[in-house]
Amino acid sequence: MLSKSSKHNVLNFSGGVGGAKLALGLSRVLPSNQLSVVANTADDFDHFGLHISPDLDTLMYTLGEVNNRELGWGLDSETWNMLENLGQLGGETWFQLGDRDMATHLLRSQYLREGLLLSEATSKLCKRLGVTHEILPMTDHKVRTKVQTKKEMLEFQEYFVRQRCVPVITDIHFDGIEDALPQECFEKRLKDPDLSALIIGPSNPFVSVDPIISIPGIRSLMIDSDAPVIAVSPIIDGDAVKGPAAKMMRELNMSVSCSAIAEYYGDLLNGFVIDERDAQSAERIRNSGLKVLVTPTLMRTIDDRIRLATEILNFSLTIY
Ligand code: GDP
Ligand code: CA
């Protein structure tokens, strides 16, 4: 099915929960040497002296099939004894740290203190989790999302978790982005003449995908690449499946629709994937010069993830 093309290396950009669903589907269809997943690291933060990488963790746990399906994040069979004790002792408990999950944060933080790069620490953890597909942090440099709200500037996790995305946002910044270099393998994969598709998962465009494409040089490498760039809409039928994407769009004075997402990515894209419920928007998006795939994009089951991944890969073959 995918043998029509001699090129076969796929690069997938992902945030956490939404992006990881598609990444899992892709990982079931493509062998390890044909898929690299690039993770947003602008959500990373320091908490109790530990380096926490929420999107990397979600990807590692999902591809390692140890993710917590009820919660949608974290590890399966999680317990919360440490957090309970932390609360009893008067510590901050707004960021949920599971007992099992703590092992990841402890070890990653130790690796970083010992001088390893975030990408090296990630690769060590992935190996132990049995993740064979490459998961790359977008950069080994420190980039941190700051959300400007009507009232104040907030650190991303402060906005996202502690204040549950309630404050009205007016702007989003990525601190440190000007000096960030793309992670070495990420840049190499993006420049690979055998790259067959770049797939932007249905992640939040403003806080999950934007940090990745805002790393200096990435946007032009994407545009110059011979591989088609395809994004999946996180907006279905005028709403986000989960999280603040729709709320952010309203606050940023955008209409909440899949076509607004396509417009937002603009000339970065060659193809766009929208849900069957948004079929009526296809023509408008096609008129802007994009190829459009209309298909069910809500991923509930593992079969949904595999089917969507397969359809997107086939769609990518029709673009050039
Ligand atoms: P986060 O880092 O955990 O916030 O995750 P992402 O940024 O990767 O994904 C969040 C986005 O995924 C949200 O805007 C959701 O609307 C979208 N999303 C979640 N599940 C699905 C799904 O099954 N299908 C589609 N099309 N979008 C989804
Ligand atoms: Ca995230």
Side-chain angles (χ1 to χ4, degrees):
M1 176 198 334
L2 300 169
S3 56
K4 250 174 47 189
S5 167
S6 59
K7 299 180 173 187
H8 45 237
N9 296 332
V10 173
L11 200 52
N12 173 215
F13 289 1
S14 175
V17 174
K21 286 185 181 176
L22 184 66
L24 178 62
L26 290 166
S27 76
R28 291 292 189 89
V29 185
L30 296 166
S32 301
N33 60 352
Q34 293 181 14
L35 171 68
S36 298
V37 185
V38 176
N40 169 41
T41 58
D43 292 11
D44 289 21
F45 73 123
D46 291 300
H47 198 44
F48 296 110
L50 301 173
H51 180 110
I52 300 185
S53 298
D55 290 355
L56 278 172
D57 288 348
T58 299
L59 278 168
M60 293 192 316
Y61 296 163
T62 303
L63 266 55
E65 300 191 40
V66 290
N67 57 306
N68 191 312
R69 293 191 191 148
E70 290 89 65
L71 286 177
W73 51 269
L75 280 164
D76 60 8
S77 316
E78 188 59 279
T79 55
W80 306 94
N81 296 305
M82 189 283 298
L83 197 74
E84 230 176 85
N85 271 40
L86 194 62
Q88 260 167 22
L89 294 173
E92 289 184 347
T93 55
W94 57 270
F95 193 83
Q96 305 235 298
L97 293 164
D99 299 335
R100 304 187 66 208
D101 189 34
M102 270 303 277
T104 303
H105 310 314
L106 287 170
L107 207 51
R108 174 189 288 119
S109 304
Q110 185 187 359
Y111 288 148
L112 295 176
R113 267 196 311 274
E114 287 170 357
L116 261 62
L117 299 172
L118 181 60
S119 52
E120 294 168 333
T122 304
S123 138
K124 275 167 102 67
L125 294 168
C126 280
K127 214 164 264 164
R128 286 294 183 152
L129 284 165
V131 176
T132 54
H133 292 82
E134 185 173 64
I135 299 178
L136 302 168
M138 63 186 202
T139 179
D140 280 313
H141 294 240
K142 181 172 170 177
V143 177
R144 296 291 177 267
T145 298
K146 296 270 166 64
V147 179
Q148 179 66 56
T149 71
K150 281 207 159 150
K151 223 171 91 194
E152 60 195 327
M153 182 82 93
L154 294 173
E155 311 259 326
F156 182 71
Q157 298 300 340
E158 184 80 31
Y159 161 79
F160 193 72
V161 181
R162 195 174 201 168
Q163 304 209 27
R164 295 169 205 275
C165 310
V166 171
V168 174
I169 67 166
T170 56
D171 206 358
I172 298 166
H173 305 273
F174 309 124
D175 268 15
I177 199 82
E178 304 79 16
D179 302 320
L181 295 175
Q183 195 277 338
E184 211 178 299
C185 288
F186 169 24
E187 186 171 5
K188 200 167 103 194
R189 307 273 178 265
L190 194 50
K191 287 180 172 165
D192 183 355
D194 279 338
L195 185 68
S196 59
L198 197 166
I199 301 171
I200 301 174
S203 292
N204 184 312
F206 316 105
V207 291
S208 293
V209 182
D210 266 357
I212 306 177
I213 60 191
S214 302
I215 297 173
I218 294 303
R219 188 169 258 280
S220 51
L221 282 175
M222 288 170 73
I223 290 172
D224 293 347
S225 170
D226 287 337
V229 179
I230 298 165
V232 184
S233 176
I235 298 294
I236 300 180
D237 195 18
D239 207 356
V241 179
K242 205 180 167 221
K247 180 176 182 281
M248 286 178 163
M249 292 178 89
R250 280 188 292 271
E251 292 168 0
L252 297 171
N253 297 316
M254 299 169 70
S255 69
V256 185
S257 63
C258 61
S259 23
I261 300 279
E263 220 169 281
Y264 183 75
Y265 284 129
D267 61 359
L268 272 183
L269 299 186
N270 308 108
F272 196 56
V273 183
I274 64 174
D275 193 79
E276 55 180 357
R277 275 173 280 175
D278 294 313
Q280 76 285 352
S281 301
E283 198 183 326
R284 176 167 165 198
I285 303 171
R286 285 195 183 106
N287 286 341
S288 72
L290 293 183
K291 289 250 186 178
V292 178
L293 171 66
V294 185
T295 188
T297 65
L298 187 61
M299 294 170 277
R300 288 196 187 91
T301 64
I302 180 66
D303 289 346
D304 293 340
R305 290 157 171 75
I306 294 171
R307 185 201 40 78
L308 183 60
T310 308
E311 282 193 35
I312 295 171
L313 291 170
N314 285 328
F315 174 57
S316 74
L317 298 177
T318 69
I319 293 189
Y320 290 128

